[in-house]
Amino acid sequence: MKTNLNTKTEITFEDFKAEVLNDYKLAVTSRECSLLGRREVLTGKAKFGIFGDGKEIPQIAWAKAFENGDFRSGYYRDQTFMMAIGELTIEQFFAGLYANTDLKEEPMSAGRQMGGHFATHSLDANGNWKNLTEQKNSSADISPTAGQMPRLLGLAQASKIYRQVEGIDTTKFSNSGNEIAWGTIGNASTSEGLFFETINAAGVLQVPMVISIWDDNYGISVHARHQTTKENISEILKGFQRNEDDKGYEIFRVDGWNYPELMDTYQRAAKVSRREHIPVMIHVQELTQPQGHSTSGSHERYKNKERLAWEAEYDCNVQMRKWIIENNIASDEELTAAEREIKKAVREGKKAAWSAFINPIYAEFKEAINLLDQLASTSPNGVFIRKLKNDLETIDEPLRRDLLSATRKALRYVVSESSVAKTNLQNWITNYIDLIQPKYSSHLHSESQLNAIKQTEIKPTYDANSEEVDGRVVLRENFDAIFSKYPEALIFGEDAGYIGDVNQGLEGLQEKYGELRVSDTGIREATIIGQGIGMAMRGLRPIAEIQYLDYIMYALQIMSDDLATVQYRTKGRQKAPLIVRTRGHRLEGIWHSGSQMGGIINLVRGIHVLVPRNMTKAAGFYNTLLESDEPALVVECLNGYRLKEKLPNNIGDFKTPLGVVETIREGEDITLVSYGSTLRLVEQAAKELQEVGIDAEIIDVQSLLPFDLNHDIVKSIAKTNRLMIIDEDVKGGASAYILDQILNEQNAFEYLDSQPKTLASKPHRPAYGTDGDYFSKPSVEDIFEAIYDVMHELSPDNYPKLR
């Protein structure tokens, strides 16, 4: 069931009646799904439930204003809206609760997110863009409170770019920028900084964004008086209201139980945002939450009798029912009959969804039981195996975990036996894991032909008399080539526009390509990333600049929870190939020279993390990434912009491969592994070590995620038999990750004659000044002495102790 927007100028009463009754039936259907969904959680069939009850009528009004090409960025209570636009059926609602891993049954996330998290498919099965202008679109939800807001800004900004920037192929992505990005958020979540940052940025940018604030007066158990000044978010934000002299928002307030006023408000909001390309805020007040926040608690614990009585009376479905009867649209008897049919349909839909979920597991269950039975009949330990089988058979509704737990334990009883039954069970377990594991683990990265790792390396080439220029010039010329080659490419960040970034890597490009493609932003890192995510979801190729690596901490939550998981949480049906550009390592002081790489690489799995040692390598990474469909973080060397590099003659075309290390100095005695700015110190130390007879091989990691796909480091260790990893992150950070990869993924331990060593920074942040740097991070002397000590242990006579 979906809602209809009757676009006739004049309609008959019968048409009007049919539309109203259809809306009411949809609201009741959604409510029944919520009620029955809660029961499924309480019986254990579903793990957790969070539902959209109490918000049905405003979401139907919203759906009527939502057009093809529009995008939603919402939160986990928008089920009625998804039903209203025809993108969520009863069966799919329950499939989400049961975590069905079949994308056909559960198209939102194939069971990877709890119910209430919604998405449409922007990509086909091969990872190619569908025509987003011909469908109603929902970006994939995330759970973190207000986390949907930064992405909403980018989804709206894409319309502005498509409307105002010439030369972009908009065929699948936009109809002259005529789309609205619609956001939803609970009133309590407006207390989050991400909400305020987004609201401010959208007002500055003036983008077509409509944000609905669902206000039911609570945040879980906490009343609005503890959440919001004056207990009224639109009241305190009314300074954003536009006027004749100042741009800003159009702000509407409407009661969430008033069906006709909701219809009117959403139509007016859509009209002004779509026509004038401005942000709009709709404060939907006096809503209820009939079942409380979630299945983890009851709202009777924190709402008094008066509040509960008010909610019972002003429930939006109850009020719409009353309005229908009072206006002679339908009688109580007619509505009661319809409600009875809806309850039956929801029950049947639930049963169908459960059957679709459990029946494939039952088939696998029978296979496991049969194999255990065969094994028990051939083993001296059959009594123990038969107990495992019997215990498994007592489970009425088994999960795949139950099947594997029983069968894998059974192998322990036949570990020293040999039989056909044992071989059959071993093969079944291996094949079963190979078959089932991808249902839960696929699409961390793109599985299309545009996967970044599949891109072919193109080396930079040089003329015989190639000019030596500052590294920043290589970057600038390469960005110039990028913006000329890709009309859909754009870059934005603090100081990225007018002055051409703080290190002049974009010098003159705003003047050449315009303020929309090379643009300045405010100091607001989270929404800079959000702009990039939203625009990338709509087919643009954004490069979001975070001025320094330290500042990425402001945006790390958005990168981790949203950007890194887009492909995974949609099982490959959405993507956001955003490039995040930043610079780091080796400046001055606590806040401008930190290296949080250990934290970053463990929080952003799903994003490539690239650490080029110079600007030519960085430029090559940008070129590679723009040929792919995956997100990445590129950390440029902060102290490399003024160092001289040869200017390639194939600017814009050469490509640095991902996951490929480079040996930049060959040696025989020890393998030194590092990356980024620290490599220059390692190279200097290697020169000085040569003077005392130590021949070090230096390998530049270049790419932390992915890491050394060809296992070239272990080949070096097989030659030198010794390893040291040098990093300016703290101990246990990126150096520990690198060591783990080398030892546990590449099995280098079998070639080591000495203990592998890591040399990292002190546990505190770097102190200010040149001496602060020297005493906080590995210096040339630190590196020299650490390597010398390794050789001293090998041969004390040849390398007497230094100190």
Side-chain angles (χ1 to χ4, degrees), residues 64 77 94 159 247 269 271 279 305 310 339 344 381 411 460 463 521 540 585 644 663 666 682 710 741 743 766 802:
K64 289 179 182 293
R77 300 205 187 275
F94 285 101
S159 290
K247 295 179 179 179
K271 184 177 181 181
K305 291 181 179 179
W310 181 89
E339 291 157 1
K344 179 181 178 183
N381 290 315
L411 288 180
D463 296 328
T521 69
L540 295 170
H585 315 301
K644 299 297 182 183
T663 301
E666 293 191 357
V682 174
N710 299 325
Q741 290 286 310
L743 293 183
L802 282 172

Side-chain angles (χ1 to χ4, degrees), residues 52 65 130 198 204 281 307 334 371 377 429 466 491 638 667 713:
K130 298 172 69 176
T198 303
V204 171
M281 188 184 309
R307 175 67 190 187
E334 290 174 307
L371 288 165
S377 65
I429 292 172
S466 289
I491 192 167
L638 188 52
I713 293 176

Side-chain angles (χ1 to χ4, degrees), residues 470-472 475 503 583 615 636-643:
D470 289 347
R472 71 171 187 89
L475 272 180
N503 296 102
R583 49 191 67 79
M615 301 310 155
E636 298 169 7
C637 291
L638 188 52
N639 57 6
Y641 295 104
R642 301 291 173 180
L643 297 181

Side-chain angles (χ1 to χ4, degrees), residues 656-725:
T656 308
L658 274 65
V660 178
V661 303
E662 183 176 354
T663 301
I664 59 177
R665 186 186 192 278
E666 293 191 357
E668 298 292 332
D669 295 328
I670 188 169
T671 298
L672 307 181
V673 177
S674 190
Y675 61 89
S677 300
T678 307
L679 272 167
R680 284 190 278 277
L681 281 72
V682 174
E683 288 182 283
Q684 180 59 37
K687 290 179 183 178
E688 296 175 13
L689 286 163
Q690 188 75 50
E691 296 172 3
V692 296
I694 299 174
D695 188 20
E697 183 151 300
I698 303 175
I699 294 180
D700 178 10
V701 168
Q702 300 194 102
S703 168
L704 287 168
L705 294 175
F707 181 86
D708 190 12
L709 298 173
N710 299 325
H711 290 191
D712 289 326
I713 293 176
V714 72
K715 298 170 188 174
S716 171
I717 295 169
K719 176 176 65 172
T720 67
N721 307 118
R722 276 165 286 280
L723 168 68
M724 181 170 291
I725 299 161

Side-chain angles (χ1 to χ4, degrees), residues 199-200 203 237-242 247-251 281:
I199 290 296
N200 180 61
L237 292 179
K238 65 184 181 182
F240 283 86
Q241 174 68 53
R242 64 179 183 153
K247 295 179 179 179
Y249 278 74
E250 193 64 44
I251 300 177
M281 188 184 309

Side-chain angles (χ1 to χ4, degrees), residues 487-508:
E488 66 275 17
L490 62 157
I491 192 167
F492 46 92
E494 298 160 18
D495 300 304
Y498 184 73
I499 68 169
D501 88 39
V502 290
N503 296 102
Q504 298 289 276
L506 299 168
E507 181 187 21

